[in-house]
Amino acid sequence: MSKSDLTVSTVNINGVRAATKKEHGLLHWLADTRADVVCLQEVRATDAQLHTSLAPAVEDGWHIVSAEPEQKGRNGVAILSRVPADAHRIGHGDPEFAASGRYIEADFGDVTVASLYLPSGETDTPRQDEKERFMDSFAEHMGRTVDAGRATVVCGDWNIAHTERDLKNWKGNKKSSGFLPNERAWLDTIFADDSGWVDVMRALHGDVDGPYSWWSYRGKAFDNDAGWRIDYHVATSGLAESATTGVVERAESYDTRWSDHAPVTVTYAR
């Protein structure tokens, strides 16, 4: 990739087949976006279904690498790019999650871009245990990545709101998966000053509420901006320092949404 600005976007699409069938959905967004690289989560499709759904985007010049989920109709991550990736790798080194379709990373010149779909969990259930096992091994992967010294950004749905600034109704979610004390403490370690990693959107926007990136379809959550900030750009410190702009591409209205998440787009000066 050339030494020009690199714009990266990430969005949980809540099913590629549903997102592309909507009139002003994912395909329309891809045709308009200025992003160079787009990270997708919760694709919920086989590789064949993914390529079929995104065929118009491929015809327009997008390239795809993907991690097909072992469980049909669940998970799945992908990376779309204007130029082919130099290389890509699936999984973060944990055999338990190797075929889960939750992590993929791709190299573009001197930058690695990753798409992550961290498990959502459910308090006091085996799903939460699975989430915490993933968190443990993924923290090790993040440490190895920093040690490797390559400029990297891990984009995606991390399924944890870090602080009270990161969700509207934090008082009502103290016992909810995604805002549990141990999950927030885990993000404390990921974002620690000596970790080598930076929460790029927080660094760009400062100590403000949000900007949120996910709103429940239920009730008036979207209309009232009662959201969660769980979609992150987590970049190695040098790359994070080059970030110039970061925006949440919130839909204009409830009925124009094509996912319950909004794209989070950051431009890095290269």
Side-chain angles (χ1 to χ4, degrees), residues 1-9 34-38 61-63 79-87 106-113 150 153 239 266 268-270:
M1 194 165 281
S2 65
K3 294 288 185 179
S4 58
D5 287 353
L6 172 65
T7 299
V8 180
S9 190
R34 295 185 179 181
D36 302 294
V37 180
V38 176
W62 288 98
H63 302 266
I79 299 174
L80 279 62
S81 55
R82 303 283 187 181
V83 298
D86 299 325
D107 300 334
F108 302 96
D110 60 354
V111 177
T112 295
V113 179
R150 183 175 170 85
V153 57
L239 182 60
V266 175
Y268 301 89
R270 304 301 297 156

Side-chain angles (χ1 to χ4, degrees), residues 213-226:
S213 59
W214 176 82
W215 304 263
S216 172
Y217 276 129
R218 298 176 181 175
K220 296 288 187 179
F222 183 80
D223 294 337
N224 296 332
D225 199 23

Side-chain angles (χ1 to χ4, degrees), residues 91-265:
H92 65 277
D94 186 334
E96 179 181 358
F97 300 103
S100 64
R102 290 191 177 275
Y103 185 76
I104 187 170
E105 57 185 32
D107 300 334
F108 302 96
D110 60 354
V111 177
T112 295
V113 179
S115 182
L116 167 70
Y117 180 44
L118 197 142
S120 57
E122 185 178 349
T123 305
D124 297 328
T125 72
R127 288 185 61 197
Q128 189 65 26
D129 297 337
E130 177 190 41
K131 181 177 186 177
E132 292 176 7
R133 291 195 303 273
F134 189 103
M135 288 160 55
D136 287 344
S137 62
F138 196 72
E140 295 176 2
H141 172 75
M142 296 289 278
R144 292 191 298 268
T145 300
V146 165
D147 291 343
R150 183 175 170 85
T152 301
V153 57
V154 180
C155 299
D157 182 354
W158 287 64
N159 265 315
I160 303 171
H162 185 208
T163 74
E164 294 170 6
R165 292 289 205 181
D166 295 314
L167 75 164
K168 184 73 169 283
N169 182 24
W170 62 267
K171 291 181 180 179
N173 283 285
K174 290 182 178 180
K175 296 182 179 180
S176 300
S177 182
F179 198 61
L180 296 174
N182 67 305
E183 295 174 332
R184 298 171 61 197
W186 181 77
L187 279 186
D188 285 342
T189 65
I190 298 293
F191 299 149
D193 291 342
D194 61 353
S195 72
W197 294 100
V198 175
D199 176 354
V200 176
M201 286 290 284
R202 179 57 68 214
L204 287 171
H205 287 264
D207 190 23
V208 300
D209 291 342
Y212 307 129
S213 59
W214 176 82
W215 304 263
S216 172
Y217 276 129
R218 298 176 181 175
K220 296 288 187 179
F222 183 80
D223 294 337
N224 296 332
D225 199 23
W228 295 57
R229 192 177 77 92
I230 54 176
D231 301 278
Y232 295 90
H233 282 240
V234 181
T236 48
S237 55
L239 182 60
E241 289 173 3
S242 75
T244 56
T245 61
V247 297
V248 174
E249 299 184 40
R250 190 177 189 273
E252 293 183 1
S253 61
Y254 181 96
D255 59 356
T256 59
R257 303 171 73 189
W258 46 269
S259 172
D260 48 359
H261 295 251
V264 181
T265 304

